[in-house]
């Protein structure tokens, strides 16, 4: 694995963990309406960003193995 791919995988993991944690925070009853909106929007954006970044890192890793 190249250094760049490893960094991308680490950043994707961090984004995914933070995004899922924000989405799981919605399960508590003491979340206001403003927090629900913000946690949903930011959590979904972070989680989807993590997925796209992990896919890109996997593709970059595969390309380096082929050449």
């Amino acid at each position: 694995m190249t250094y760049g791919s490893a960094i991308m995988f680490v950043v994707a993991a961090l984004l995914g963990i933070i995004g899922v944690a924000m989405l799981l925070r919605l399960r508590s009853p003491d979340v206001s309406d403003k927090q629900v909106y913000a946690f949903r929007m930011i959590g979904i954006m972070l989680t989807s960003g993590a997925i796209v970044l992990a896919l890109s890192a996997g593709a970059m890793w595969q390309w380096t193995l082929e050449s």
Side-chain angles (χ1 to χ4, degrees):
M1 178 180 302
T2 63
Y3 187 67
S5 297
I7 290 174
M8 289 174 69
F9 278 123
V10 169
V11 172
L14 289 174
L15 290 176
I17 290 169
I18 295 169
V20 170
M22 291 188 81
L23 293 173
L24 289 175
R25 177 78 168 94
L26 293 171
R27 298 181 74 195
S28 73
D30 61 336
V31 179
S32 70
D33 289 339
K34 291 178 183 179
Q35 288 176 327
V36 167
Y37 176 75
F39 288 174
R40 278 185 188 162
M41 182 175 61
I42 296 169
I44 289 171
M45 287 172 35
L46 286 174
T47 305
S48 62
I51 292 168
V52 170
L53 188 59
L55 290 171
S56 297
M60 188 169 81
W61 183 21
Q62 183 180 4
W63 292 334
T64 58
L65 293 177
E66 291 175 359
S67 53

